[in-house]
Amino acid sequence: MEAISLDQSATVDELVEACIQAFDETGTLKDPSLVRMFLMMHPWYLPSTDMAKKLLLKSQEESCTAELRTRICHLVKYWISEFPAEFNLNPELAEQIKDLKDLLTTEGNERQSQLIDIDSVPSYKWKRQVTQRQPSMSKKRKMSLLFDHLDSSELATHLTYLEYKSFCKILFQDYHSFVMHGCTVDNPILERFITLFNSVSQWIQLMVLSKPTAPQRAAVISHFIRVAQKLLQLQNFNTLMAVVGGLSNSSISRLKDTQSHISNETNKVFNSLIELVTSCGNYSQYRRRFSDCTGFRFPILGVHLKDLIAVHVALSDWADPGKSRVNLAKSQQLYVILQELALIQTTPPSIDANTDLLNLLTVSLDQYHTEEEIYQLSLQKEPRSAKPANSGSAPAPAPKPSMIDEWAASVKPKADPAVINKHIEKMVDSVFKNFDTDGDGHISREEFEIIRNNFPYLSKFGELDKNQ
């Protein structure tokens, strides 16, 4: 271990040997830094199945002593305990480890075989499912499910719940795939997370633009600025950025009549939030604030994805032209970023979520409009000032993503009909449970208007159907 410094280079075989030697025969690991880094970062240099094959072959070499074989088993045990999802979601890898265990048993090395317990690895298939998981309800609280009436703290809490659950499904492999390809190709979990970020921004714009008068639109903007303040108190910087991005989008910022009804104090709060999450100084204000946080904290994932790509582009994977020696400086820098993201997933927020509100939010956030469609709606609410016919002015340019949400603009939302249908079924159940106030199994005209006015994505339902 001492022979390999993190600012030097080493071959893959040297790193594997160093990881084995990091354990003593009792399984004690004196310094886990290099071992954990290599186990997390090795896919950059060789597939996990090849890594398992190396360990299997090494354990079968004639020169392999009983003590060395025991250390190999301790390394495999540590690998399984620290990265269990990798073994559950990679059947070929799990099978190779089972082969190692069975071989040890067959050869009479029962004590060493017992160190490897692959069967107790829990299922992580939920991490590969794009649909949202439902929360366990320890107790139910009465609340208004109308977004108009919903307390800003409740809305901030439930948005945090949805986004954090989506964030927890992201695995190291998703980041690796993103960095290697520079996009979300064949990476549905990460794509879903970024799409959710974009959907929050779009939903807020539509909530504002669904109101017919400027004072009403201003009230919605002020409400979401309060939501943003609550998100900052929750230390949820990712959703905070989505909210600020939605409110600073050109479709909202151009509404001069609406903006005139927002108080100076509220505008001052909003400007401070914009400064916190903008890209100035490489997001320096956000980075300082985030580093000071303790307990639950939710990062702006786009900033850290940019960091990963910057390191990947700036440094080579290999320290030599022959690609035989790993560049450990790059491994260490990538590991620091990825380790922090992994640790955040282990510190969940203390949130008691309302299932019905989550169902309604999920449907609202799963329906998509283009930037152009939202901008045209903005023009309908407040048309451009008329210009003289001979002014010769050029037409206004198409709306562009703001600096705040530019990082996610390359990911275009995709509507998966199967996913949306599941969400709509749950939403319909929640609607009837909460808005069918007389319990007659039908939605009245008054109840229908309340629902439609609060969920702008449902505006396509122009009228009640025959059986209500």
Side-chain angles (χ1 to χ4, degrees), residues 178-179 241 279 282-283 287 300-313 337 403-408:
F178 178 82
V179 172
M241 192 179 200
S279 59
N282 194 18
Y283 301 93
R287 293 181 191 276
I300 302 174
L301 184 60
V303 173
H304 301 274
L305 290 178
K306 282 186 172 182
D307 290 345
L308 287 172
I309 291 176
V311 173
H312 178 61
V313 171
I337 300 168
M403 286 176 63
I404 290 173
D405 59 353
E406 184 180 2
W407 72 271

Side-chain angles (χ1 to χ4, degrees), residues 363-378:
V363 170
S364 285
L365 297 175
D366 261 336
Q367 307 296 313
Y368 308 115
H369 290 67
T370 65
E371 287 282 334
E372 180 60 30
E373 287 172 341
I374 297 176
Y375 195 75
Q376 290 303 317
L377 181 58
S378 173

Side-chain angles (χ1 to χ4, degrees), residues 26 121 140 152 223 229 240 242 249 283 291 349 408 421:
T26 66
V121 172
K140 290 194 175 183
S152 56
H223 175 61
Q229 286 181 285
L240 168 63
N249 187 277
Y283 301 93
S291 65
N421 284 339

Side-chain angles (χ1 to χ4, degrees), residues 201 205 209 244-256 259 270 371-372 374-379 382 384 396-403 405:
S201 290
Q205 294 167 53
L209 297 172
V244 173
L247 292 175
S248 60
N249 187 277
S250 57
S251 64
I252 304 301
S253 61
R254 63 167 297 277
L255 301 174
K256 302 307 178 187
Q259 301 290 342
F270 184 56
E371 287 282 334
E372 180 60 30
I374 297 176
Y375 195 75
Q376 290 303 317
L377 181 58
S378 173
L379 291 174
E382 291 188 24
R384 295 191 186 99
K400 294 181 179 179
S402 67
M403 286 176 63
D405 59 353

